[in-house]
Amino acid sequence: MDAVTSTVPSGSPDFPDSSLLDLAPVIPVVIVHDVADAVPMARALVAGGLPAIEVTFRTPAAADAIRAIADEVPDAVVGAGTVLTPEQVETAVAAGSRFLVTPGWTDRLLGALDASGLPYLPGVSTTSEVVALLERGVEEMKFFPAEAAGGTAYLKALASPLPRARFCPTGGVNASNALGYLSLPNVGCVGGTWMLPPDALDAGDWARVESLAREAAALRR
C-alpha cells in the first residue's frame, strides 16, 4: 500500500510539493465567530509567516470564514478543523478548504477524507490508533489532545517503534512548550491558538496578531 501523507496540492503558494507538516512550525487553530474577522485575521497570520490556517468547525461561521479566506487571501493555505462527519468534509471542500483536520477518526470518516482528495491529518491519542492508520498507509497525523494524552514524553516513546509516523501535536500546546514538541524527530509542526489572544481578536488588533505569529514562525528546531 502506498503511503498517504498530507502533501499540499500542487500550486500552493511557495510550497508546490510540500507536506502540510512542513509549511511552518505552527498551524494556527482558529475559531471564527464573526466572518468579518476572517480575512484580516488570515492576512495578519500570513504576514507573520504562518500560511497554513486551520479554521475549526466549532461555530456556524466556519464554512463562510474558510470561503472568505480562500477567496481573498491567496497566500493562505486554509483548511478545516474539528471535522467530524463526511457531511462536514463535503462542506469544507465546497468552501475551498485545502486540507482537513480531525480530532479523531472512524472508518467512515477516514473514507470521506480519502475521497475528498485533500491532504488530511486524522487525530490520534493512542498507539493502537497510530498503528491502525499506518496499516492503512496514513503516516501523518494530528496528536490530540497533546498535553492531556502524554505530551512530549509520549511522542518521544513512539518515535523508535513507529518511525514512519509524523505528528502535529495540538491541544495544550503554547508558546512555552511548543519548542519541546518541535525538537522531537517525529513532530513536523504543532497547532495552537496562542498567537490569537481573545483580547486582540475582540479589539481587532491585527498588528499584535501578526507580531505573535512572527514569533511563532521563528520557532525552529
Side-chain angles (χ1 to χ4, degrees):
M1 179 181 293
D2 292 335
V4 177
T5 60
S6 58
T7 303
V8 176
S10 178
S12 296
D14 302 323
F15 308 100
D17 298 304
S18 297
S19 162
L20 176 63
L21 298 187
D22 298 324
L23 292 183
V26 181
I27 297 178
V29 180
V30 177
I31 302 172
V32 178
H33 295 280
D34 186 345
V35 175
D37 291 337
V39 168
M41 181 191 307
R43 286 175 175 157
L45 292 170
V46 171
L50 301 180
I53 301 170
E54 176 189 337
V55 178
T56 65
F57 271 118
R58 301 185 192 181
T59 70
D64 288 336
I66 291 168
R67 185 173 293 107
I69 295 169
D71 289 344
E72 300 183 43
V73 191
D75 290 335
V77 179
V78 63
T82 320
V83 176
L84 300 175
T85 67
E87 293 74 23
Q88 286 183 325
V89 171
E90 293 179 2
T91 299
V93 171
S97 294
R98 301 179 69 179
F99 65 91
L100 305 167
V101 184
T102 75
W105 62 276
T106 63
D107 287 336
R108 181 169 176 260
L109 181 56
L110 197 65
L113 295 171
D114 273 329
S116 75
L118 295 181
Y120 61 85
L121 297 173
V124 297
S125 60
T126 69
T127 305
S128 294
E129 290 172 313
V130 176
V131 172
L133 286 177
L134 290 173
E135 188 176 77
R136 290 162 168 79
V138 179
E139 297 184 350
E140 296 186 348
M141 313 165 197
K142 171 180 177 175
F143 180 57
F144 176 83
E147 283 290 282
T152 56
Y154 191 95
L155 287 176
K156 185 176 181 180
L158 293 184
S160 180
L162 301 172
R164 287 166 46 213
R166 295 182 74 213
F167 300 96
C168 173
T170 304
V173 181
N174 54 49
S176 64
N177 63 16
L179 198 57
Y181 283 98
L182 291 168
S183 67
L184 300 176
N186 55 351
V187 170
C189 66
V190 300
T193 62
W194 71 88
M195 70 297 302
L196 298 160
D199 58 336
L201 301 184
D202 290 343
D205 189 351
W206 308 122
R208 183 179 172 200
V209 171
E210 180 180 339
S211 176
L212 291 171
R214 186 169 290 109
E215 292 175 6
L219 292 171
R220 298 287 181 183
R221 289 186 175 86

